[in-house]
Amino acid sequence: MNLQLTSYDNVTVLKIAGRIDSHSVQRLRQQLIVNASGTEKNIILDLAGVDFIDSSGLAAIVHGMKQCRAVGGDLRLCKTPQAVRMVLELTRLDKALEIFLDQESALLSFTTTMPKAEVQVAA
Amino acid sequence: MSTLPSPQPIPWEAMPSTWLATHLTTLTHEMDMAKQAQATFYPQQVPEVDGVAIFAEFRPAMQVSGDYYDFVPLSAHELLFTVGDVSNKGLTAAFFTPLMRKVIRTALKLGKSTPKSVLDYVNADLYDEFSRAAMFTTTFIGLYEANSRRLRYVNAGQAPVIYRRTDGSARLLQADGPPVGIFAYSPCVEQELQLAPGDLLMVGTDGLVEVRNSANEIFGYERLLHLVDTVCSHTPASVTAAIFYKLTSFAAARKREDDQTLLIIKGV
């Protein structure tokens, strides 16, 4: 499994490629702990390169989501391949996690739902 | 008073081979004991209920398993059953399997009489434990009523669940809510289906569809649906044997990578 990390203004994007299973999940789990416990509380997982995910991978993602939400952020998914999408739908985890078609939409969702503090609303 | 420094772990490569051999023997013995202990939590026999034939089998990937299933006869005409899969596998997942069985049975003792009320109790009771462990469990809870041939169920993230009417074709029943331990309250909604003579319901765990062959292809849902259509006219025990035979043939020499559980209930 390969992990590629890109930091944006208030979001960290983790691009994942390969299999997320019990043999590889520890790296993802550790990375999510680092991100969710740091100043970045918003994470996007770009799953375009993932060809397989098992329950340990799903558990790591759900735990990351819980950690982010506990501090007012969120973990969202984008570019889920058909095989991953099917697993998420069959387990109904698609109802627990927000999923976007592409990275841009996922990034925009954070901008839309969490405006920066300095943005003032006109009276 | 000064604090003593923590002892530094010695790399196992540096340990004497005799120590490693002894340690490995102890660990193997402990795992064997754990396997035996876990086996006592699985049903020792399949219950007999009017109007249906039932069979279940599970095959662990390691010595202990994160899959579980259970039967709880509520009366001569009512049977509650469950199949579930704790995330991850092996020892970590195995800690939760007897817990699930026990909490489901406790819910029934406390008067929770529907699959939905049992699931709600289990989810509320174990949410914190699953969250702390960074885990969850899929679970299917069914209640079969012989008088009406009706099966009421909740499906919290369990897959594959396959239903085949005697005059139809096999189809996947999608879960109606996420697994136990995701939310503090389960949003699952109770569903129901009929089990007329010949109708078949198969509840399995993901280890069935994730079997890989030498070309790294997974067995997948399509093959399983087709297989169920092919063998559904047989008894649940024969259907189970056919499915495991096919999975074993597909995997060939490849080692089982995940626990596999299969429960079949068929109208007769």
Side-chain angles (χ1 to χ4, degrees):
Chain A
M1 183 184 72
N2 288 317
L3 283 178
Q4 188 187 326
L5 190 146
T6 311
S7 290
Y8 290 86
D9 214 9
N10 63 339
V11 186
T12 300
V13 176
L14 277 174
K15 204 170 175 179
I16 308 171
R19 290 173 63 88
I20 312 178
D21 59 18
S22 56
H23 303 292
S24 63
V25 75
Q26 193 57 20
R27 267 190 72 206
L28 174 63
R29 202 179 285 146
Q30 283 171 344
Q31 189 62 54
L32 289 176
I33 288 169
V34 168
N35 284 99
S37 59
T39 51
E40 296 294 352
K41 55 189 180 182
N42 297 323
I43 299 171
I44 294 170
L45 299 185
D46 182 332
L47 303 179
V50 174
D51 45 37
F52 177 81
I53 186 165
D54 74 357
S55 66
S56 58
L58 294 173
I61 291 175
V62 167
H63 186 60
M65 174 202 79
K66 283 182 177 178
Q67 286 186 307
C68 290
R69 288 184 185 176
V71 291
D74 202 3
L75 179 151
R76 297 173 184 172
L77 309 181
C78 72
K79 296 170 85 170
T80 49
Q82 176 59 28
V84 176
R85 182 85 199 183
M86 190 176 183
V87 172
L88 292 168
E89 286 174 359
L90 283 169
T91 55
R92 278 289 190 239
L93 283 170
D94 61 332
K95 300 297 174 199
L97 294 150
E98 284 203 56
I99 304 168
F100 295 86
L101 278 178
D102 49 48
Q103 225 182 80
E104 291 70 30
S105 314
L107 284 165
L108 191 64
S109 74
F110 281 115
T111 317
T112 309
T113 55
M114 277 174 273
K116 287 179 182 175
E118 63 266 27
V119 175
Q120 298 294 314
V121 177
Chain B
M1 192 170 68
S2 62
T3 310
L4 286 170
S6 303
Q8 290 299 305
I10 301 169
W12 66 267
E13 295 92 335
M15 299 301 285
S17 56
T18 48
W19 181 90
L20 283 174
T22 308
H23 195 60
L24 193 60
T25 305
T26 308
L27 272 178
T28 306
H29 177 67
E30 288 293 325
M31 289 302 288
D32 286 342
M33 297 290 282
K35 183 181 183 178
Q36 286 174 35
Q38 194 185 34
T40 65
F41 292 111
Y42 290 93
Q44 303 303 307
Q45 57 188 29
V46 176
E48 288 185 10
V49 186
D50 291 346
V52 287
I54 305 167
F55 195 78
E57 184 171 337
F58 100 104
R59 297 184 177 191
M62 300 175 186
Q63 280 172 298
V64 289
S65 169
D67 284 6
Y68 57 91
Y69 69 97
D70 197 14
F71 300 111
V72 189
L74 303 181
S75 71
H77 307 290
E78 282 186 313
L79 173 74
L80 186 129
F81 64 93
T82 183
V83 176
D85 180 1
V86 179
S87 60
N88 307 331
K89 56 175 90 61
L91 200 51
T92 322
F95 282 126
F96 280 90
T97 57
L99 205 55
M100 281 299 291
R101 178 184 185 269
K102 197 68 190 168
V103 174
I104 287 171
R105 285 172 174 255
T106 301
L108 292 167
K109 281 182 186 164
L110 291 173
K112 312 295 177 192
S113 57
T114 63
K116 169 66 177 162
S117 62
V118 171
L119 179 72
D120 286 348
Y121 180 86
V122 171
N123 194 81
D125 200 49
L126 292 177
Y127 173 76
D128 286 342
E129 279 80 359
F130 276 114
S131 292
R132 276 197 295 271
M135 292 165 75
F136 60 73
T137 181
T138 61
T139 197
F140 181 101
I141 301 173
L143 176 61
Y144 174 71
E145 297 160 332
N147 293 336
S148 61
R149 285 187 169 274
R150 187 173 61 152
L151 179 80
R152 295 154 70 192
Y153 70 90
V154 281
N155 182 355
Q158 191 66 45
V161 178
I162 294 174
Y163 178 53
R164 189 188 191 280
R165 301 294 303 262
T166 190
D167 56 353
S169 53
R171 63 185 173 94
L172 278 172
L173 297 184
Q174 203 169 40
D176 45 272
V180 169
I182 304 287
F183 295 124
Y185 299 97
S186 171
C188 274
V189 179
E190 198 166 284
Q191 312 283 335
E192 68 175 61
L193 50 83
Q194 288 294 123
L195 282 175
D199 294 350
L200 178 147
L201 177 76
M202 192 210 93
V203 186
T205 56
D206 58 5
L208 298 171
V209 289
E210 290 173 2
V211 170
R212 282 189 291 169
N213 63 13
S214 53
N216 223 23
E217 296 169 321
I218 62 165
F219 192 76
Y221 291 94
E222 287 305 318
R223 283 190 182 92
L224 186 61
L225 285 166
H226 179 69
L227 182 56
V228 170
D229 274 333
T230 309
V231 299
C232 64
S233 61
H234 299 284
T235 65
S238 298
V239 172
T240 303
I243 290 173
F244 277 119
Y245 174 77
K246 196 76 177 176
L247 292 176
T248 307
S249 307
F250 183 81
R254 198 158 185 151
K255 188 176 172 285
R256 190 176 301 121
E257 295 175 271
D258 197 3
D259 308 319
Q260 298 168 342
T261 298
L262 187 55
L263 184 150
I264 291 176
I265 177 166
K266 184 178 180 184
V268 290

